[in-house]
Amino acid sequence: MATAYHGKILRVDLSEGRLWTEEVPEVLYRRYLGGGALACHYLLKELPPSLDPLGPENRLIFMTSVITGLMISGANRYTAAAKSPLTGGYGEAEAGGWWGPELKAAGFDGIIISGCAPKPVYLLIADGKAELRDASRYWGELSGEVQDGLETELGDKRIRVLQTGVAGEKLVRFAAIVNQLKHFHGRSGLGAVMGSKRLKAIVVRGRHKYEPANKDGAKVIFNWFKEHYDRENDTMHKLGTSRGVLLLDKAGILPTRNFQQGSFELAKEVSGQKMAETILTKTGTCYACSVACKREVDVPELGVTSKYGGPEYETIAANGALCGVGDLKKIAKVNQLLSQYVLDSISTGATIAFAMECFEHGLLTKEDMGGIELRFGNADAVETLVQMIGRREGIGDLLAEGVRRAAAKIGKGAERFAHHVKGQELPMHEPRGKKGLAIAYAVSPTGADHMEAPHDPLYEGFHHSGNPLGGPLGLIEPIDMLDFGPRKVKAFFQCQKVWSLYNSVGMCDFVGVPIGSLTLDKLVEYVNHATGWDTSLYELLKVGERANTMMRLFNLREGFGRADDMLPPRMFEPIGNGVLEGERIDPEQFQKMLSLYYQMCGWDPETGVPTEAKLADLDLE
Amino acid sequence: MATAYHGKILRVDLSEGRLWTEEVPEVLYRRYLGGGALACHYLLKELPPSLDPLGPENRLIFMTSVITGLMISGANRYTAAAKSPLTGGYGEAEAGGWWGPELKAAGFDGIIISGCAPKPVYLLIADGKAELRDASRYWGELSGEVQDGLETELGDKRIRVLQTGVAGEKLVRFAAIVNQLKHFHGRSGLGAVMGSKRLKAIVVRGRHKYEPANKDGAKVIFNWFKEHYDRENDTMHKLGTSRGVLLLDKAGILPTRNFQQGSFELAKEVSGQKMAETILTKTGTCYACSVACKREVDVPELGVTSKYGGPEYETIAANGALCGVGDLKKIAKVNQLLSQYVLDSISTGATIAFAMECFEHGLLTKEDMGGIELRFGNADAVETLVQMIGRREGIGDLLAEGVRRAAAKIGKGAERFAHHVKGQELPMHEPRGKKGLAIAYAVSPTGADHMEAPHDPLYEGFHHSGNPLGGPLGLIEPIDMLDFGPRKVKAFFQCQKVWSLYNSVGMCDFVGVPIGSLTLDKLVEYVNHATGWDTSLYELLKVGERANTMMRLFNLREGFGRADDMLPPRMFEPIGNGVLEGERIDPEQFQKMLSLYYQMCGWDPETGVPTEAKLADLDLE
């Protein structure tokens, strides 16, 4: 069974139109597994500090992992990474779907893109071969047209298309990248990096299914998952991520009206339950996944089709509750626009909500807005603004810069309505009610990012697992969501390694979480079956820790420091309504717990700089 | 399968003759597993600092673990612990055999003994009941007579007898505790603690075999081990630990003539091979173990019988090469005396070798020695001195204090011949040739102790495991024995967690090592099958790390500091012969690597005091 796992990277220099391949030695896979950790390894090695993220020298990396493409639920995710134009620090975003497995089936484990094409191109990768092709005709087109156009041009409906949108072409700082119109690399503004390189799309087609080192072992796990996964009772399958709307509203932690409130009076109207009763047509899924959490919706009267899937929790919350909008059909329409322009739905909704609060306080006027009455609850305004941002038209040009830069330009104290960490807008989870998130958001290497920041209910997931003392992380005793002491920091510290691992090994949180600890054990087996190795959960969590520390090093090199590990001012103010009305983060306790977290990581407790010992422990030079 | 693991502790107050039982809640087992970690938990809780280790207030603890008694190779070990009269710090020593499993079969998971009996007693534990009985008739008897006497008194040959010897009665600071005459708690001088309490023996008899939560799972592993263990080709089975003599001699790291040399010209004469060809009569074993590394020897002309087993590597090296003695039969005789008086064979041999070097330099005279010409190579002198130490007669009274105290009394610079850490004599492994041991000995909580200090070839064991990149600890690349940089410290740091875990979970190194990484995976399964938990290697290694930090806390409380994490002067001098002639530890590099190790542990790099964050990470208050 012992075998060697080697990776093949496709290198693309767009400036010179040159393509070549490179081997990734097994030792790098053992150390990084793939995904974010391996991508960060290349970014640290190849990017000099202080470089313009939208210049040709930035690298745009797509990286699968040793398990991507296994016939196993959750093993379809892969990473896009680059220096972020939104934060100026390390940027990454994971996506699911079929594109990652297809890239591997086409003979490549990753792609590293440098330079900038003289005119728009797309990259075609098919069965071990790669070429650049003219994409002028797709430049300026909405995503659906690009997808259709490429399928027609190539005469193949089975290609997998990854693309940046009009928003990316226009260098919107929170432009996303999407594959097959539905699977997003949402955060970090990577669509703008792709746009800046004039790389419209990457089309992959592969006919060589990835063969694990131990095929029988992999099959056993596949069957084990099928047997153990209780699909009928998993609300993630039944309601998708939007199951969260009502749960969080009830708990007083549904971000509402730009985080002024924690409960939304129209939550029921925009809930997953409501979606299931009204506009839902189908459940969607990713490669080989039984969880099938994706939604597909139709709203014929608004021109919304299931081609673009359907809104997820983050989209509903950011463009619904956060903007005071309680109309699910209109949110579905906004969701389609976000997909068409290929925008990060969190940052877009958060930026609009920010503008709404500015407007209500007179910091932005109707004139600034080109006549739009930008009050909370104005669904049509949201719809209009998404398109203006996507095209950088009018006020959209300012908002396309994200809340940090927009607030700085608006001035007049607009910063207090700009909820971001390191320039990236807060996701739809409330640190004031899930206190672990206060540290999680503050220290996430990509800025506020729920994909880098496991939050409190997840600790419970790793605590509970059938056994009263359960959980393979040693989180023996349960811990309250409002607790904000050393035990909470410890719980976050442990779970963060898992999250960071998932982003490197390409495992989906939604598969990892519902089955909890069993999946962590099985994940070790996945990796061993894929590679023929003899790894352990201990070694895998080291990879997660290593990746997190590498990203820290990247940011330190860019000049980030303790002051950047900060929450927006609103987090220190009380929640305005709901069952947690009055709850806030204590600023002194925050600083104390931040120091404790640094120290727990093996970083200097004052500066957050990794110690020599931690670098040695993690084999980092 | 979910079940609750509860432990039952027998409490004994010898001063008052009172016995009672106490439950150990499951949460403590999940956090500590048993053994050293759980024992240290009680010592930290119950012992005030600065207490006399030989006074009634000291606790003597015997602790099994959640897996002790499983029908599985290696799962028979248990811990004895107390404040050490040799070091004044945390003291522990593990032993194998049948006594631990028998204690569990008798209904107890551990024993905590306090007070001091007015006259000699022994403790009888049989099938859930316990009583103290008069042991006056056994006081002053050699171990074999005590064993025989108790078997006769109780009319049962199947009792398991654990006892302190004459050396313990006499409070020799490195007196050991032995069970069934052959299985030693060697280090830390715990026999003296038992002697100080006038507790001669603990006899156990149990008829209720320990039932794991998942019996079928445990059986699968038992069979797996039988199938995978290549007994015929394992030199540990064929030659026992004494396989090391020739290997280490060839490598230039067989401690010879009180660590003046690394190679012994008579190594072949005292080797495991020689033993197999001459005096070996049988291989011995422990409960349910297929490795069977124990030796039994007969030397009729010297009165040596297999009743006391046979010499192990440490005994041969300490009382052979270290004393310049090259006569295996005489070493077998010394081994029998060590067993009869119940002495730590390492500290005894090391103390005699120290005295020899003092003698050769004129610091001890023939008069001091009662007429003995104490030169290196004088086998008869070793034989005589063992008995004098065991009875504290003549010069034996001084030497019974151990090298640190003896050197202080002798003065005249005798300290430079006294090779100890924290007062405990160096085991028979050479830090100058296995550089990881330099830090390992220096920081071991019990002083220089090979059971707390994994050494360099073991890193290789955790590196290699069939796969070229192998090993579940993430030690991806091999590392040279003479390397003394950050990578070496890291390798030791990782492996130390395993060693510390083994001492808590009661797993034998000799079972863990030959099969290497597979056993670490299987160990997780052992624990899960025994308890019904869902633990992981990650959580288990946290237990190891936790235990090591707790022992650090114990020692800090007793006033130990960085200056006590020091090697004896000879380690900074060159090895005098062999292939590593001239090799030494660089004192500056040692201090640098010590700081790095502290920092890697999450301790202050200057003082070695655990940081607040590390205490939180380990759930220690």
Side-chain angles (χ1 to χ4, degrees):
Chain A
M1 187 175 98
T3 181
Y5 189 95
H6 299 292
K8 206 162 110 191
I9 297 282
L10 175 64
R11 289 272 189 174
V12 181
D13 179 340
L14 289 169
S15 299
E16 312 215 346
R18 203 161 67 87
L19 291 86
W20 69 103
T21 62
E22 222 176 72
E23 294 283 320
V24 184
E26 188 173 20
V27 65
L28 288 191
Y29 271 106
R30 186 92 192 217
R31 198 171 282 157
Y32 303 122
L33 296 169
L38 189 53
C40 190
H41 164 78
Y42 284 107
L43 291 179
L44 276 169
K45 233 174 67 173
E46 302 188 10
L47 293 191
S50 307
L51 160 139
D52 175 9
L54 296 175
E57 286 310 308
N58 200 359
R59 301 285 187 274
L60 178 62
I61 300 181
F62 296 93
M63 201 61 84
T64 66
S65 89
V66 295
I67 67 167
T68 312
L70 279 187
M71 282 287 293
I72 280 171
S73 290
N76 55 71
R77 291 177 74 78
Y78 65 103
T79 297
K83 180 170 177 177
S84 164
L86 187 61
T87 69
Y90 177 74
E92 74 166 20
E94 279 69 37
W98 279 261
W99 193 88
E102 191 83 21
L103 178 66
K104 242 166 136 169
F108 296 96
D109 295 83
I111 311 173
I112 301 181
I113 299 152
S114 60
C116 170
K119 56 177 191 162
V121 292
Y122 75 90
L123 176 61
L124 175 65
I125 302 173
D127 292 322
K129 294 195 181 119
E131 58 177 308
L132 290 168
R133 291 190 171 203
D134 180 53
S136 304
R137 59 195 280 203
Y138 303 118
W139 204 251
E141 294 284 315
L142 295 183
S143 62
E145 280 69 60
V146 175
Q147 176 86 29
D148 294 345
L150 284 164
E151 285 176 6
T152 308
E153 179 189 334
L154 295 167
D156 186 353
K157 286 244 169 231
R158 299 201 53 198
I159 55 169
R160 309 289 180 186
V161 178
L162 173 142
Q163 61 174 305
T164 187
V166 171
E169 296 174 17
K170 298 284 183 186
L171 309 181
V172 174
R173 287 193 188 267
F174 45 85
I177 295 171
V178 68
N179 83 58
Q180 296 299 98
L181 305 177
K182 296 169 187 168
H183 304 279
F184 284 81
H185 300 273
R187 315 293 333 256
S188 295
L190 301 176
V193 177
M194 196 162 165
S196 76
K197 297 191 172 306
R198 291 196 193 88
L199 176 64
K200 183 62 188 174
I202 305 177
V203 179
V204 293
R205 184 76 172 91
R207 288 170 184 86
H208 294 92
K209 221 185 74 183
Y210 169 47
E211 292 276 341
N214 178 358
K215 222 171 149 176
D216 293 344
K219 196 173 259 171
V220 168
I221 301 193
F222 178 72
N223 291 329
W224 169 87
F225 190 90
K226 277 208 316 202
E227 281 165 31
H228 284 74
Y229 176 55
D230 184 4
R231 181 160 164 159
E232 289 324 300
N233 289 309
D234 183 12
T235 55
M236 186 59 87
H237 172 66
K238 280 164 69 181
L239 299 175
T241 54
S242 55
R243 68 178 179 176
V245 176
L246 278 186
L247 288 173
L248 295 182
D249 181 67
K250 208 174 154 193
I253 46 179
L254 178 67
T256 300
R257 295 186 179 85
N258 204 29
F259 282 95
Q260 294 179 88
Q261 301 164 323
S263 177
F264 183 40
E265 67 282 3
L266 298 172
K268 215 172 147 189
E269 292 303 308
V270 298
S271 66
Q273 288 81 350
K274 179 83 178 187
M275 196 192 307
E277 290 161 13
T278 56
I279 61 175
L280 187 73
T281 54
K282 230 180 106 183
T283 58
T285 188
C286 294
Y287 173 82
C289 187
S290 320
V291 177
C293 69
K294 310 286 281 186
R295 305 291 98 175
E296 301 198 356
V297 302
D298 268 317
V299 189
E301 64 270 35
L302 298 180
V304 175
T305 86
S306 60
K307 179 171 178 174
Y308 297 98
E312 306 243 358
Y313 165 73
E314 298 288 337
T315 308
I316 294 174
N319 300 276
L322 201 74
C323 292
V325 171
D327 182 329
L328 187 60
K329 289 185 178 176
K330 293 201 171 175
I331 293 172
K333 173 70 175 180
V334 166
N335 180 66
Q336 179 160 307
L337 287 167
L338 291 161
S339 299
Q340 287 175 315
Y341 284 89
V342 194
L343 280 160
D344 173 7
S345 67
I346 296 172
S347 283
T348 307
T351 303
I352 296 170
F354 154 79
M356 284 174 162
E357 199 171 356
C358 286
F359 186 89
E360 298 216 336
H361 283 81
L363 277 58
L364 285 176
T365 63
K366 205 166 164 181
E367 205 189 329
D368 293 328
M369 299 305 304
I372 300 170
E373 187 75 24
L374 195 63
R375 301 215 172 269
F376 285 110
N378 186 344
D380 295 332
V382 176
E383 192 182 323
T384 305
L385 276 178
V386 168
Q387 299 171 75
M388 288 173 76
I389 290 170
R391 292 195 297 261
R392 275 194 182 263
E393 281 178 10
I395 191 74
D397 191 39
L398 174 69
L399 299 181
E401 293 289 288
V403 299
R404 180 174 59 176
R405 288 178 175 83
K409 280 197 188 156
I410 293 167
K412 299 175 266 184
E415 283 84 359
R416 69 197 158 106
F417 309 135
H419 310 319
H420 69 89
V421 176
K422 298 183 179 61
Q424 176 149 278
E425 291 73 16
L426 254 62
M428 298 303 111
H429 303 273
E430 176 55 89
R432 290 171 290 185
K434 302 183 262 193
K435 293 262 180 6
L437 265 183
I439 298 300
Y441 281 169
V443 301
S444 155
T446 55
D449 189 336
H450 67 303
M451 299 307 291
E452 309 283 339
H455 50 100
D456 305 36
L458 300 173
Y459 314 157
E460 295 301 300
F462 287 114
H463 163 67
H464 293 305
S465 54
N467 187 294
L469 288 179
L473 296 183
L475 300 172
I476 298 174
E477 282 153 314
I479 181 164
D480 193 85
M481 306 231 302
L482 296 179
D483 180 294
F484 193 39
R487 286 185 59 235
K488 177 60 67 73
V489 176
K490 177 224 160 124
F492 161 64
F493 171 65
Q494 309 287 16
C495 294
Q496 188 193 32
K497 295 185 212 181
V498 180
W499 248 230
S500 181
L501 165 65
Y502 282 178
N503 289 340
S504 295
V505 81
M507 172 50 58
C508 179
D509 307 346
F510 299 153
V511 177
V513 168
I515 304 202
S517 61
L518 286 173
T519 305
L520 279 179
D521 296 358
K522 293 295 169 191
L523 184 57
V524 178
E525 292 184 39
Y526 291 1
V527 174
N528 284 337
H529 292 327
T531 57
W533 295 341
D534 54 359
T535 191
S536 67
L537 183 59
Y538 177 78
E539 188 182 9
L540 293 189
L541 290 177
K542 275 276 168 209
V543 176
E545 191 185 358
R546 181 178 296 123
N548 190 50
T549 293
M550 288 164 71
M551 293 164 195
R552 181 90 189 163
L553 293 174
F554 186 97
N555 285 343
L556 288 167
R557 216 167 62 169
E558 297 293 340
F560 286 73
R562 185 183 181 121
D564 299 293
D565 294 344
M566 191 51 186
L567 293 174
R570 181 142 299 157
M571 297 300 113
F572 304 106
E573 299 164 6
I575 296 179
N577 72 355
V579 296
L580 291 184
E581 185 174 343
E583 196 65 38
R584 62 184 199 100
I585 304 289
D586 179 78
E588 269 180 51
Q589 184 67 4
F590 172 77
Q591 291 298 340
K592 226 170 119 179
M593 292 303 105
L594 183 64
S595 295
L596 193 73
Y597 167 81
Y598 285 171
Q599 200 172 48
M600 217 174 265
C601 287
W603 304 347
D604 182 280
E606 292 307 313
T607 62
V609 175
T611 61
E612 193 193 345
K614 182 46 72 179
L615 296 183
D617 178 37
L618 296 174
D619 300 309
L620 298 170
E621 288 88 47
Chain B
M1 186 174 100
T3 180
Y5 190 95
H6 298 291
K8 207 162 108 188
I9 297 282
L10 175 64
R11 289 272 189 174
V12 182
D13 178 342
L14 289 168
S15 299
E16 312 215 344
R18 202 161 67 87
L19 291 86
W20 69 103
T21 62
E22 222 176 73
E23 294 283 322
V24 184
E26 188 174 21
V27 65
L28 288 190
Y29 271 107
R30 186 91 192 217
R31 198 171 282 158
Y32 304 122
L33 295 170
L38 189 53
C40 189
H41 164 79
Y42 285 106
L43 291 179
L44 275 169
K45 233 174 67 172
E46 301 187 10
L47 293 191
S50 306
L51 158 142
D52 176 9
L54 296 175
E57 287 309 308
N58 200 0
R59 301 285 187 275
L60 178 61
I61 301 181
F62 296 93
M63 200 60 82
T64 66
S65 90
V66 293
I67 68 166
T68 314
L70 279 188
M71 281 287 292
I72 280 172
S73 290
N76 54 71
R77 291 175 74 79
Y78 65 103
T79 297
K83 180 170 177 177
S84 164
L86 187 61
T87 69
Y90 177 74
E92 74 167 19
E94 279 68 37
W98 279 261
W99 193 88
E102 191 83 20
L103 178 66
K104 241 166 138 169
F108 295 97
D109 295 84
I111 312 173
I112 301 180
I113 300 152
S114 59
C116 169
K119 55 176 193 164
V121 292
Y122 75 90
L123 175 61
L124 176 65
I125 301 172
D127 292 323
K129 294 195 180 118
E131 59 178 306
L132 290 168
R133 291 189 170 204
D134 181 51
S136 304
R137 58 196 280 204
Y138 304 117
W139 205 249
E141 294 284 315
L142 295 182
S143 62
E145 281 70 58
V146 175
Q147 177 86 30
D148 294 346
L150 284 164
E151 286 176 6
T152 308
E153 178 189 334
L154 296 166
D156 186 355
K157 286 244 170 231
R158 299 202 51 199
I159 56 170
R160 309 289 180 187
V161 178
L162 171 144
Q163 61 175 303
T164 188
V166 171
E169 297 174 16
K170 298 285 183 188
L171 309 181
V172 174
R173 288 193 187 266
F174 45 84
I177 295 171
V178 67
N179 83 59
Q180 297 297 101
L181 304 177
K182 296 169 189 167
H183 304 279
F184 284 82
H185 300 272
R187 316 291 334 253
S188 297
L190 301 176
V193 177
M194 195 161 165
S196 76
K197 297 192 172 305
R198 291 195 194 90
L199 176 63
K200 184 63 188 173
I202 305 178
V203 178
V204 293
R205 185 75 170 93
R207 288 170 185 85
H208 294 93
K209 219 185 75 183
Y210 169 47
E211 292 276 342
N214 178 358
K215 222 172 150 176
D216 294 342
K219 196 173 260 172
V220 168
I221 300 192
F222 179 73
N223 290 330
W224 170 87
F225 190 89
K226 276 207 316 199
E227 280 165 31
H228 284 75
Y229 176 55
D230 183 6
R231 181 160 165 159
E232 289 324 299
N233 289 309
D234 183 12
T235 54
M236 185 59 86
H237 172 66
K238 281 164 69 181
L239 300 174
T241 55
S242 56
R243 68 177 179 176
V245 176
L246 279 186
L247 288 174
L248 295 183
D249 181 65
K250 206 174 154 193
I253 46 179
L254 178 67
T256 300
R257 294 185 180 86
N258 203 31
F259 282 96
Q260 293 179 89
Q261 300 164 324
S263 176
F264 183 39
E265 67 282 4
L266 297 173
K268 214 172 150 188
E269 292 303 308
V270 298
S271 66
Q273 288 81 350
K274 179 84 178 188
M275 195 193 306
E277 289 160 14
T278 56
I279 60 177
L280 187 74
T281 55
K282 229 180 105 184
T283 58
T285 188
C286 294
Y287 173 83
C289 187
S290 320
V291 177
C293 69
K294 309 286 281 185
R295 307 288 99 175
E296 299 198 355
V297 302
D298 268 318
V299 189
E301 64 270 35
L302 298 180
V304 175
T305 86
S306 60
K307 179 173 179 172
Y308 296 98
E312 307 243 358
Y313 165 74
E314 299 288 335
T315 308
I316 294 174
N319 299 277
L322 201 75
C323 292
V325 170
D327 183 329
L328 188 60
K329 289 184 177 177
K330 291 201 171 175
I331 294 172
K333 173 71 174 176
V334 167
N335 180 66
Q336 180 159 308
L337 288 167
L338 291 161
S339 299
Q340 287 174 316
Y341 283 90
V342 194
L343 280 160
D344 173 8
S345 66
I346 296 172
S347 283
T348 307
T351 302
I352 295 171
F354 154 79
M356 283 175 163
E357 198 171 357
C358 286
F359 187 89
E360 298 215 336
H361 282 81
L363 276 58
L364 286 176
T365 63
K366 204 166 166 179
E367 206 188 330
D368 292 330
M369 300 304 305
I372 300 171
E373 186 76 24
L374 195 63
R375 300 213 173 270
F376 285 110
N378 186 342
D380 294 333
V382 176
E383 190 181 326
T384 305
L385 276 177
V386 168
Q387 298 170 76
M388 289 172 76
I389 290 171
R391 290 194 298 262
R392 276 194 181 264
E393 280 179 9
I395 190 74
D397 191 38
L398 175 68
L399 299 180
E401 293 289 289
V403 299
R404 180 174 58 176
R405 288 179 175 82
K409 280 196 188 157
I410 293 167
K412 298 175 265 184
E415 283 84 0
R416 70 197 157 107
F417 310 136
H419 310 320
H420 68 88
V421 176
K422 298 183 179 63
Q424 176 148 278
E425 290 73 17
L426 253 61
M428 298 302 111
H429 304 273
E430 176 57 87
R432 289 172 290 185
K434 301 184 261 194
K435 293 262 178 9
L437 265 182
I439 298 299
Y441 281 168
V443 301
S444 156
T446 56
D449 189 338
H450 67 303
M451 300 307 291
E452 309 283 339
H455 49 99
D456 304 38
L458 301 173
Y459 313 156
E460 295 301 301
F462 286 114
H463 163 68
H464 293 305
S465 54
N467 186 292
L469 289 179
L473 296 183
L475 300 172
I476 298 174
E477 282 152 314
I479 181 164
D480 194 84
M481 306 231 305
L482 296 179
D483 179 295
F484 193 39
R487 286 186 59 234
K488 177 60 67 73
V489 175
K490 177 224 160 124
F492 161 64
F493 171 65
Q494 308 287 16
C495 294
Q496 188 193 32
K497 296 185 213 183
V498 179
W499 249 229
S500 180
L501 164 65
Y502 282 178
N503 289 340
S504 295
V505 80
M507 172 50 57
C508 178
D509 307 345
F510 299 153
V511 177
V513 169
I515 304 202
S517 63
L518 286 173
T519 305
L520 278 179
D521 295 356
K522 293 294 170 193
L523 184 57
V524 177
E525 293 185 36
Y526 291 2
V527 173
N528 283 338
H529 291 329
T531 57
W533 295 341
D534 53 0
T535 191
S536 67
L537 184 59
Y538 177 80
E539 188 180 9
L540 293 189
L541 290 177
K542 275 276 166 206
V543 176
E545 190 186 356
R546 182 178 293 123
N548 189 50
T549 294
M550 288 165 71
M551 293 164 195
R552 181 90 190 166
L553 293 173
F554 187 98
N555 285 343
L556 287 167
R557 216 168 62 170
E558 296 294 341
F560 287 72
R562 183 180 182 120
D564 298 293
D565 293 344
M566 192 49 189
L567 293 173
R570 180 140 302 157
M571 296 301 113
F572 304 106
E573 298 164 7
I575 296 179
N577 73 354
V579 294
L580 291 185
E581 185 173 344
E583 197 64 38
R584 63 185 198 99
I585 304 287
D586 178 77
E588 268 179 53
Q589 184 67 4
F590 171 77
Q591 290 298 341
K592 226 169 118 179
M593 293 303 106
L594 184 63
S595 295
L596 192 74
Y597 168 81
Y598 284 170
Q599 200 172 48
M600 218 175 265
C601 287
W603 303 349
D604 183 279
E606 292 307 312
T607 63
V609 175
T611 61
E612 195 193 343
K614 182 47 72 180
L615 297 181
D617 178 38
L618 296 173
D619 300 308
L620 298 170
E621 287 87 48

